[in-house]
Amino acid sequence: MSDPFDDFEDLKAAMQAATPAPNVARKAENIALAEKNFATRQETATQPRFTSDRPKQGLFRGVISMLSSISTRHALTATTAIVAIGLFVYLPTLQQGPTPVTLTEAETRSRLEVDDQIAQAAQQEAEETDALSGQLVEPLAEIAASPMADIAATRPAAMEPMAGVLAPPSAAKRMLAPPPPGYDNRDQFALPEVDTEAYPEAEPNALKITTEESVSTFSIDVDTASYAILRSSLNAGQLPNPEQVRIEEMVNYFPYDYTAPLDELPFSTRATVIDTPWNSETQLVHIALQGQKPALDARPPLNLVFLIDTSGSMDERNKLPLLKQSFQLMLAQLRPEDKVAIVTYAGSAGQVLDPTPASDRATIMAALDKLDAGGSTAGQAGLQQAYATAEAMTEEGDVSRIILATDGDFNVGIDDPDELEDFIARKRQTGTYLSVLGFGRGNLDDATMQALAQNGNGQAAYIDTLSEAQKTLVDQLSGALFPIANDVKIQVEFNPAQIAEYRLIGYETRALNREDFNNDRVDAGEIGAGHAVTALYEVTPVGSPARLSDPLRYQAAEVTATSKEYGFLRLRYKRPGEETSALIETPILPGGDATTDMQFAAAIAGFGQLLQNSPYLGNWSYTQAIDLANTAKGEDAFGYRAQAVQLMRLADSLSQ
């Protein structure tokens, strides 16, 4: 019997002699392609990444790579049996035909381009492999006749399922499953399968016993992101997760015709007690704030810095392209004395447009049109550059605001919400406001967006359609960009002689400590020009059978008083640029009449609680929420309320 080491040396020599010489030109092309794909897909895009060290495919590429790395005869001894087993396990599968590996559906335009690249590479690889296989037939035949073949015959049966896993290169094109008939990857409502979205963690407010805790304090909220996010989910055929539902943002999404402020106050306040739709034994305290609506020609000059996320994850139709269209709508609403600058961030931050008069729309749009997505997300560097740009633009009497447009994925620099809060809190002292617009789904970091907007004295909104951009950046432009009151806080003291229990519906992420109300150093929400703000409490009157808690046996009797007030409403606010807050006080009295605006707000609050599976609704259903919303739609000039009814119907169907 011949020495197996000599036989194997002969086989190695034959394989090395048959190996084609490296193709320098092709290698250069592959490296260029790898660099391009890496730049556009390295972040959170769902496409596979191709790099310059991608393993080449072929019948014996693995064998050749292993043998070329062996430097001693001892290593050959250890690997001889493994090589033989691998060859004899694999060779029979060539007669069985390839088993294609199917990946998930293409979700972006670039997937089709990658598909063609794979097909071309596979064809060339197959030609090389066929040539190599022909030159190795004789050495392999000798190996098959050697005693090592007995090793393959005794391989465990458990290895059989591996047959066909390594498909030959001709199957490479079939690795990407074709889309189903009628599939359109541009569908703005389709949610991606890979989901890394993050939302603030906050449990719904608990029921409070008035004799134990009679004071409730929170910051106002005019954000609307939650409503648009849940609308996106419902239109995609999915019920939103409970943490995606913030009821105050749903209620405050809609315009209301509240009483305008009198005198010189920046906003009016009103508290009304109405019936609870889902429980006849409780009542709702409806709190309404209405901001002033100054004339547009009286507003101060505006300095806008568009801080645009151009990272790889923004390369989807409902992200960067929709962002460009949205900003184009807003530009038409600006005045000649307003100025616009553009800062982008992806890997590193840069200013792509110097401060430019808003009247020069052609220059601004040209700068927007040139933006492409690629690279990682240098959120910290982008924010620093944007604040520096805004500070340089600001003159006495101007309003400066940064509008951050992103899918919310901050993965370079500051990526912790707490650290971001500290950074933005320091920067807001410069007088520059920060608003956040979210685009796209799949990696939407809503928690970070909320932290940025709340600490930047700004508003957070989610743009999923051009119609939503119209509402946020055109119809409500003044409220979104021009503040009339800062650090607005609400505190309600309930009268234990009249109210046994209460709970605040929503505002979980805006809760404040009781002592924060009088502390002017504690940040709170802002009200923009023309903004309406709504808050709702469900209260249980003393003696109502709806009371859920029993009086304590060993506690003093409940407070008795002659006052018929349900409670007392206090508000604190600061005028822009001022450090000391002003106080507004209003008693909460029973016996109010519900307007259609109040009834519609209650219907939306009930809708949100249904999505959260709230235990306080009893048998109240989507059907009843729909009926109430339909009867309270009112004028509905832009169809927002009719759209809400349609979403309720979708949620009802999806919940079955």
Side-chain angles (χ1 to χ4, degrees):
M1 180 181 297
S2 61
D3 187 345
F5 291 111
D6 293 337
D7 293 343
F8 212 92
E9 287 290 348
D10 293 341
L11 174 60
K12 177 182 177 182
M15 289 182 173
Q16 290 176 337
T19 302
N23 188 327
V24 178
R26 184 182 174 208
K27 180 179 179 181
E29 293 176 357
N30 288 341
I31 291 175
L33 176 61
E35 291 176 346
K36 177 182 177 182
N37 287 333
F38 180 79
T40 57
R41 300 176 178 85
Q42 66 167 326
E43 195 179 16
T44 54
T46 56
Q47 308 99 305
R49 305 178 191 169
F50 293 90
T51 61
S52 57
D53 59 351
R54 175 175 62 89
K56 291 186 176 182
Q57 301 175 353
L59 185 60
F60 299 107
R61 289 287 186 186
V63 177
I64 295 171
S65 176
M66 181 192 74
L67 292 178
S68 64
S69 65
I70 295 177
S71 58
T72 67
R73 295 175 66 88
H74 296 291
L76 287 172
T77 302
T79 57
T80 299
I82 298 175
V83 172
I85 291 174
L87 292 174
F88 281 95
V89 167
Y90 177 71
L91 287 174
T93 66
L94 294 179
Q95 298 178 354
Q96 299 175 4
T99 301
V101 179
T102 302
L103 301 181
T104 57
E105 295 177 356
E107 296 177 352
T108 63
R109 301 187 302 272
S110 60
R111 178 58 71 90
L112 297 178
E113 298 174 0
V114 173
D115 199 2
D116 292 337
Q117 294 169 4
I118 292 176
Q120 296 173 6
Q123 182 176 359
Q124 184 169 353
E125 192 76 47
E127 294 173 356
E128 294 178 7
T129 301
D130 291 340
L132 177 62
S133 301
Q135 298 176 40
L136 292 178
V137 171
E138 184 175 348
L140 288 174
E142 295 178 3
I143 292 293
S146 72
M148 288 189 296
D150 296 336
I151 300 176
T154 60
R155 65 185 186 274
M159 297 180 63
E160 292 297 339
M162 295 181 63
V165 170
L166 299 176
S170 60
K173 183 174 177 64
R174 283 173 282 173
M175 290 177 63
L176 298 179
Y183 175 79
D184 182 4
N185 62 6
R186 300 173 300 174
D187 186 355
Q188 61 186 332
F189 296 132
L191 296 183
E193 295 185 9
V194 178
D195 190 344
T196 60
E197 296 186 352
Y199 296 88
E201 297 180 3
E203 293 294 326
N205 289 319
L207 187 73
K208 303 292 184 181
I209 300 174
T210 310
T211 55
E212 298 176 3
E213 187 175 350
S214 61
V215 178
S216 170
T217 309
F218 63 96
S219 164
I220 62 98
D221 188 3
V222 294
D223 295 343
T224 59
S226 178
Y227 180 84
I229 290 171
L230 70 87
R231 178 183 61 201
S232 171
S233 295
L234 289 171
N235 281 326
Q238 299 179 13
L239 285 171
N241 296 325
E243 63 268 20
Q244 296 174 339
V245 179
R246 291 189 292 275
I247 295 177
E248 73 279 7
E249 295 187 17
M250 297 174 62
V251 172
N252 287 317
Y253 178 86
F254 302 91
Y256 299 103
D257 187 21
Y258 295 152
T259 303
L262 302 175
D263 303 325
E264 299 300 322
L265 292 176
F267 54 87
S268 64
T269 61
R270 182 179 180 183
T272 307
V273 178
I274 63 176
D275 294 334
T276 304
W278 51 84
N279 190 337
S280 60
E281 303 296 338
T282 66
Q283 292 179 298
L284 292 181
V285 175
H286 179 280
I287 298 173
L289 281 65
Q290 177 62 59
Q292 288 179 341
K293 301 178 181 179
L296 292 179
D297 56 2
R299 67 172 176 82
L302 176 65
N303 301 314
L304 281 180
V305 179
F306 294 161
L307 176 55
I308 300 176
D309 181 354
T310 55
S311 59
S313 64
M314 291 290 287
D315 189 19
E316 298 180 22
R317 175 173 176 158
N318 61 348
K319 294 185 179 181
L320 188 57
L322 178 58
L323 181 156
K324 295 177 182 179
Q325 294 175 321
S326 301
F327 282 162
Q328 183 177 7
L329 291 179
M330 185 175 66
L331 288 176
Q333 307 302 309
L334 302 181
R335 299 187 304 170
E337 55 266 34
D338 300 332
K339 291 180 290 186
V340 174
I342 300 177
V343 174
T344 63
Y345 63 94
S348 61
Q351 184 168 316
V352 300
L353 179 68
D354 293 333
T356 302
S359 57
D360 191 358
R361 293 178 58 189
T363 299
I364 299 172
M365 284 308 305
L368 284 171
D369 289 339
K370 292 179 181 178
L371 300 182
D372 291 318
S376 57
T377 316
Q380 176 185 4
L383 285 169
Q384 291 171 335
Q385 178 68 44
Y387 273 108
T389 301
E391 291 169 10
M393 296 169 64
T394 303
E395 299 179 1
E396 185 68 26
D398 291 358
V399 172
S400 295
R401 185 178 294 269
I402 298 170
I403 298 182
L404 168 59
T406 178
D407 60 1
D409 193 359
F410 281 67
N411 62 7
V412 176
I414 299 177
D415 58 1
D416 179 74
D418 293 334
E419 293 183 32
L420 281 169
E421 289 178 13
D422 294 338
F423 175 78
I424 300 301
R426 294 192 302 269
K427 285 297 184 180
R428 72 166 178 252
Q429 302 303 323
T430 64
T432 299
Y433 294 80
L434 172 68
S435 293
V436 185
L437 301 179
F439 289 83
R441 297 296 300 273
N443 60 335
L444 184 69
D445 191 343
D446 183 67
T448 299
M449 290 172 53
Q450 292 291 316
L452 289 172
Q454 290 182 16
N455 288 274
N457 284 2
Q459 179 181 359
Y462 173 73
I463 308 295
D464 57 338
T465 64
L466 201 57
S467 295
E468 184 63 21
Q470 170 81 19
K471 175 183 183 294
T472 303
L473 300 177
V474 177
D475 299 340
Q476 299 177 346
L477 179 69
S478 295
L481 300 181
F482 297 96
I484 59 174
N486 294 338
D487 294 339
V488 183
K489 307 169 188 175
I490 292 179
Q491 186 171 83
V492 177
E493 179 185 358
F494 286 101
N495 180 2
Q498 301 294 334
I499 302 299
E501 299 165 337
Y502 69 90
R503 66 183 179 96
L504 176 61
I505 302 176
Y507 290 94
E508 287 83 3
T509 64
R510 297 283 187 159
L512 296 174
N513 297 321
R514 179 175 176 177
E515 61 271 20
D516 293 339
F517 183 73
N518 291 322
N519 187 349
D520 285 344
R521 299 182 61 184
V522 175
D523 182 55
E526 282 63 46
I527 293 181
H531 258 148
V533 181
T534 304
L536 294 167
Y537 285 93
E538 182 177 7
V539 299
T540 305
V542 171
S544 170
R547 179 169 180 169
L548 298 178
S549 61
D550 293 325
L552 297 178
R553 179 181 178 88
Y554 301 107
Q555 191 178 50
E558 293 186 356
V559 179
T560 58
T562 57
S563 174
K564 298 299 182 182
E565 295 176 355
Y566 272 18
F568 202 68
L569 170 66
R570 299 180 178 91
L571 290 100
R572 283 200 175 274
Y573 70 94
K574 299 174 187 173
R575 293 185 181 274
E578 296 183 357
E579 298 296 328
T580 303
S581 65
L583 176 65
I584 298 176
E585 297 180 319
T586 305
I588 302 174
L589 301 173
D593 295 326
T595 65
T596 55
D597 280 342
M598 296 177 188
Q599 291 174 330
F600 186 82
I604 295 299
F607 177 32
Q609 292 175 93
L610 287 168
L611 293 173
Q612 290 179 333
N613 300 313
S614 172
Y616 298 107
L617 296 185
N619 295 323
W620 204 68
S621 66
Y622 283 107
T623 299
Q624 291 163 295
I626 292 168
D627 290 342
L628 179 59
N630 268 324
T631 59
K633 278 193 301 187
E635 184 179 350
D636 195 23
F638 301 108
Y640 299 142
R641 298 188 180 189
Q643 180 192 74
V645 172
Q646 180 60 28
L647 293 180
M648 291 180 189
R649 296 180 60 214
L650 275 174
D652 187 18
S653 298
L654 292 171
S655 66
Q656 301 299 320

